[in-house]
């Protein structure tokens, strides 16, 4: 009878270890950490349905998914767990009062220990030795599989990180417009880091101001964003070290909305040029790996970003008159030709400062330049963002109003004329010639300029300080003089 029982025990053990082999194969085939953790609990429940079990993990991040997972913490109340974690050896604990026994089995890989498996057996005062051996083997298998899954996860993350850096660097070096480049970069960062807000900033030459660069998310253009921008700016004014903040607290700002902050300076040739900010409302949202990736991304992008900024500034210089800060005539010509290809109509205004030579002779060229700037500023304040103010040449300035009819253009010219007469110092006046085009006329931009120039000539010849409209009966039937 004794021999039959022993044979039955051996069969049970054989089945159990056969099961262990199958479990190990399943563990190793699972390369997602969260799926593997779930599989460990499924296995424990199948083999030991009457036991209780927990995993105490030291992993940086994982999804609980309602599994009995606990953060492994160093404290005096958990010494058995700490002993198992530090020694790599199984630890036992029993309680006659609660009538249960506990086993703590380390989850060991080849290079590290990733946590501890806690198994509780009810209604016994000593953990069964046979089950302890089996659970030890099971925990070793789970630890090795967990290490394998983590290595796979890290490899996938490294590949993803390199792809992000490569794609962003390629975009930055592709000579695309700065706004388009930074918008692309912002989108890449939001997707990769699951950030809610992404901002790019440039320091002024004295590093006292931080300007928001287009491509930043819209939040950074609001007043609420200033507390975060000013706080980070102040930190970088003190030190060029990157910032990784898990739960932001700003002095005298008790109602902080965004708690997780990562900020990295843009440093070129050891000089602080700007910085980037990434934010999320949840505390401790970003893992440290994300912080390291952001530093690498900004580091790789710094030179290309600076080149893009310089290229953008150079383009502005090419299309901008250095004195008046209005557009250049070349830029105006190009925009009018584009408009005449796609729009239905438009109005052109040519403006000349009356008696400008006498002003230069009387007050000097410096005052003459100041007057040009005054008139240019009045023009900029009188037109929309989609309109184009330009330096035509000498004391002549110009405005093009796409999709604007002649009567509206005349009203704008008259408003500018009145403002110049009322606000200029020293007092000056201007004369304006106005012309327009319509799609059905089959017009040319050279002829559009010619009509405005002739109208301006008549304004100068008939008393100055007035607006004169194009005279061409084949095009329009407006009065010659207002």
């Amino acid at each position: 009878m004794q021999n039959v029982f022993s044979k039955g025990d051996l069969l049970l053990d054989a089945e159990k270890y056969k099961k262990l082999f199958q479990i190990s194969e399943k563990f190793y085939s699972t390369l997602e950490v969260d799926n593997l953790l779930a599989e460990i609990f499924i296995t424990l429940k199948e083999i030991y349905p009457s036991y209780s079990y927990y995993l105490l993990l030291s992993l940086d991040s994982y999804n609980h998914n309602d599994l009995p997972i606990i953060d492994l913490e160093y404290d005096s109340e958990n010494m058995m767990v700490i002993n198992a974690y530090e020694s790599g050896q199984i630890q036992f604990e029993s309680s006659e009062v609660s009538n249960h026994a506990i086993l703590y089995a380390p989850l060991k890989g080849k290079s590290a220990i990733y946590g501890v498996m806690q198994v509780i057996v009810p209604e016994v005062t000593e953990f069964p030795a046979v089950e302890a051996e089996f659970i030890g083997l099971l925990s070793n298998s789970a630890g090795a599989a967990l290490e394998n899954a983590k290595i796979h996860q890290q490899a996938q993350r490294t590949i993803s990180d390199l792809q992000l850096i490569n794609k962003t660097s390629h975009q930055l070096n592709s000579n695309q417009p700065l706004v388009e480049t930074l918008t692309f970069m912002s989108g890449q960062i939001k997707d990769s880091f699951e950030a809610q807000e992404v901002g790019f900033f440039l320091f002024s030459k004295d590093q006292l101001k931080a300007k928001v660069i287009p491509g930043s998310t819209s939040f950074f253009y609001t007043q609420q964003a200033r507390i975060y921008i000013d706080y980070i700016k102040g930190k970088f004014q003190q030190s060029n070290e990157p910032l990784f903040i898990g739960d932001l607290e700003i002095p005298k700002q008790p109602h902080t909305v965004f708690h997780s902050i990562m900020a990295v300076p843009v440093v070129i040739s050891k000089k602080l040029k700007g910085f980037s900010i990434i934010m999320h409302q949840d505390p401790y949202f970003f893992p440290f790996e994300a912080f390291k990736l952001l530093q690498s991304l900004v580091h790789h992008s710094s030179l290309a970003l600076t080149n893009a900024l310089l290229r953008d500034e150079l383009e502005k210089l090419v299309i901008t008159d250095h004195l008046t800060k209005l557009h250049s005539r070349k830029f105006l010509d190009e925009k009018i030709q584009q408009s005449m290809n796609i729009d239905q109509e438009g109005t052109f205004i040519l403006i000349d400062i009356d008696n400008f030579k006498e002003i230069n002779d009387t007050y000097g060229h410096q005052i003459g330049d100041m007057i040009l700037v005054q008139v240019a500023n009045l023009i900029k304040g009188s037109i929309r963002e989609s309109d184009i103010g330009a330096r035509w040449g000498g004391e002549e300035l110009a405005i093009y109003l796409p999709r604007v009819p002649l009567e509206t253009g005349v009203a704008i010219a008259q408003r500018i004329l009145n403002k110049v007469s009322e606000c200029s110092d020293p007092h000056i006046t201007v004369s304006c010639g106005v012309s327009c085009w319509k799609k059905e006329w089959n017009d040319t931009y050279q002829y559009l300029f010619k009509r405005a120039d002739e109208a301006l000539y008549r304004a100068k010849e008939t008393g100055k300080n007035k607006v004169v409209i194009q005279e061409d009966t084949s095009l329009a039937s407006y009065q010659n003089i207002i």
Side-chain angles (χ1 to χ4, degrees):
M1 189 73 181
Q2 178 68 33
N3 289 337
V4 172
F5 181 77
S6 298
K7 187 176 180 182
D9 270 358
L10 289 172
L11 288 171
L12 285 172
D13 284 346
E15 283 299 316
K16 188 180 287 185
Y17 284 97
K18 182 180 178 182
K19 179 75 171 175
L20 179 62
F21 178 76
Q22 293 170 344
I23 290 166
S24 297
E25 280 192 321
K26 196 167 189 179
F27 282 173
Y28 275 99
S29 68
T30 306
L31 294 176
E32 294 295 328
V33 171
D34 296 328
N35 294 342
L36 175 59
L37 295 175
E39 196 61 49
I40 291 171
F41 285 110
I42 291 169
T43 300
L44 287 168
K45 190 172 183 179
E46 284 179 355
I47 300 175
Y48 303 110
S50 63
Y51 291 5
S52 299
Y53 19 77
Y54 298 90
L55 290 184
L56 296 97
L57 299 179
S58 62
L59 297 176
D60 296 325
S61 63
Y62 51 85
N63 296 323
H64 287 273
N65 293 327
D66 300 322
L67 297 174
I69 295 173
I70 304 171
D71 291 326
L72 193 151
E73 298 178 352
Y74 283 81
D75 59 55
S76 57
E77 297 177 4
N78 220 359
M79 288 310 298
M80 287 296 182
V81 176
I82 300 306
N83 289 340
Y85 182 71
E86 290 185 338
S87 67
Q89 302 297 319
I90 291 176
Q91 303 293 312
F92 296 96
E93 181 182 348
S94 61
S95 172
E96 293 184 5
V97 177
S98 303
N99 194 27
H100 65 245
I102 306 174
L103 173 147
Y104 299 96
L107 297 166
K108 290 192 293 187
K110 289 183 179 180
S111 60
I113 296 175
Y114 297 96
V116 174
M117 180 187 294
Q118 181 187 45
V119 181
I120 304 169
V121 182
E123 300 179 359
V124 297
T125 57
E126 188 174 339
F127 205 97
V130 175
E131 303 305 339
E133 181 184 357
F134 182 80
I135 291 171
L137 293 171
L138 179 66
S139 68
N140 286 340
S141 178
L146 194 55
E147 182 173 73
N148 192 43
K150 275 185 68 68
I151 290 171
H152 173 75
Q153 194 176 60
Q154 288 168 352
Q156 293 297 109
R157 186 163 55 234
T158 300
I159 292 169
S160 176
D161 293 350
L162 289 172
Q163 287 174 338
L164 172 63
I165 291 170
N166 184 56
K167 284 174 68 176
T168 305
S169 298
H170 177 75
Q171 178 73 15
L172 285 166
N173 286 292
S174 63
N175 293 324
Q176 296 293 323
L178 181 63
V179 175
E180 187 175 316
T181 296
L182 289 179
T183 301
F184 170 84
M185 190 170 175
S186 177
Q188 290 289 302
I189 289 173
K190 284 189 76 174
D191 291 343
S192 297
F193 298 96
E194 297 182 34
Q196 291 175 324
E197 304 296 345
V198 180
F200 305 101
F201 305 86
L202 268 186
F203 272 119
S204 56
K205 288 184 179 180
D206 57 12
Q207 293 194 352
L208 294 178
K209 296 180 180 179
K211 177 186 175 185
V212 186
I213 306 176
S216 304
T217 50
S218 58
F219 171 77
F220 287 105
Y221 292 93
T222 66
Q223 191 61 38
Q224 298 95 308
R226 291 312 312 178
I227 61 170
Y228 302 97
I229 298 170
D230 292 342
Y231 178 79
I232 300 300
K233 179 188 72 176
K235 290 291 185 182
F236 284 135
Q237 286 169 337
Q238 296 171 14
S239 169
N240 287 358
E241 292 299 315
L243 299 172
F244 183 61
I245 304 171
D247 194 2
L248 178 67
E249 290 184 6
I250 301 177
K252 300 179 181 178
Q253 296 290 341
H255 304 296
T256 305
V257 176
F258 293 93
H259 295 277
S260 292
I261 308 285
M262 295 193 294
V264 179
V266 176
V267 179
I268 304 294
S269 302
K270 298 182 179 180
K271 291 183 179 179
L272 183 63
K273 297 292 186 181
F275 56 93
S276 62
I277 303 176
I278 295 176
M279 306 197 302
H280 198 282
Q281 292 181 1
D282 295 344
Y284 305 103
F285 180 81
F286 301 116
F288 192 71
E289 284 78 9
F291 180 51
K292 292 188 289 185
L293 173 59
L294 181 64
Q295 290 181 69
S296 181
L297 182 63
V298 172
H299 174 73
H300 281 84
S301 304
S302 291
L303 185 58
L305 180 59
T306 302
N307 289 338
L309 289 167
L310 290 172
R311 188 169 61 248
D312 195 57
E313 287 298 316
L314 182 61
E315 288 175 359
K316 286 182 181 177
L317 288 173
V318 169
I319 66 170
T320 304
D321 175 63
H322 75 281
L323 176 64
T324 63
K325 301 299 184 279
L326 293 171
H327 289 296
S328 66
R329 179 167 176 176
K330 181 176 182 296
F331 180 82
L332 177 75
D333 290 353
E334 290 174 355
K335 290 299 179 181
I336 292 178
Q337 289 187 78
Q338 288 176 15
S339 174
M340 294 182 85
N341 286 330
I342 62 175
D343 296 327
Q344 297 300 313
E345 62 181 345
T347 295
F348 178 65
I349 305 170
L350 198 53
I351 303 168
D352 186 80
I353 299 174
D354 296 330
N355 307 313
F356 191 71
K357 184 177 182 305
E358 294 176 16
I359 293 168
N360 277 334
D361 292 342
T362 303
Y363 299 103
H365 288 278
Q366 188 173 358
I367 298 299
D369 288 348
M370 187 183 75
I371 287 171
L372 273 168
V373 172
Q374 281 186 45
V375 176
N377 289 338
L378 289 170
I379 288 173
K380 284 184 274 189
S382 302
I383 61 177
R384 306 166 302 174
E385 190 175 338
S386 58
D387 300 329
I388 302 155
R391 177 90 177 269
W392 184 255
E395 70 272 22
E396 288 187 335
L397 308 172
I399 302 170
Y400 179 66
L401 308 167
R403 300 174 299 281
V404 171
L406 181 61
E407 56 269 28
T408 304
V410 170
I412 292 170
Q414 190 66 51
R415 184 165 68 240
I416 292 170
L417 183 141
N418 294 339
K419 282 186 176 181
V420 170
S421 182
E422 294 166 5
C423 304
S424 56
D425 182 24
H427 179 263
I428 59 161
T429 60
V430 295
S431 299
C432 302
V434 186
S435 63
C436 73
W437 67 274
K438 291 183 181 291
K439 197 76 171 178
E440 60 267 24
W441 292 349
N442 196 26
D443 207 350
T444 66
Y445 81 102
Q446 292 94 341
Y447 194 30
L448 179 72
F449 296 158
K450 182 175 181 291
R451 296 196 303 274
D453 190 49
E454 290 174 351
L456 176 62
Y457 178 79
R458 289 199 307 277
K460 304 285 283 185
E461 288 295 304
T462 56
K464 302 176 183 175
N465 191 26
K466 62 173 66 175
V467 177
V468 173
I469 305 171
Q470 65 185 32
E471 186 181 70
D472 193 323
T473 54
S474 66
L475 296 179
S477 57
Y478 291 100
Q479 294 178 352
N480 291 342
I481 298 175
I482 293 183

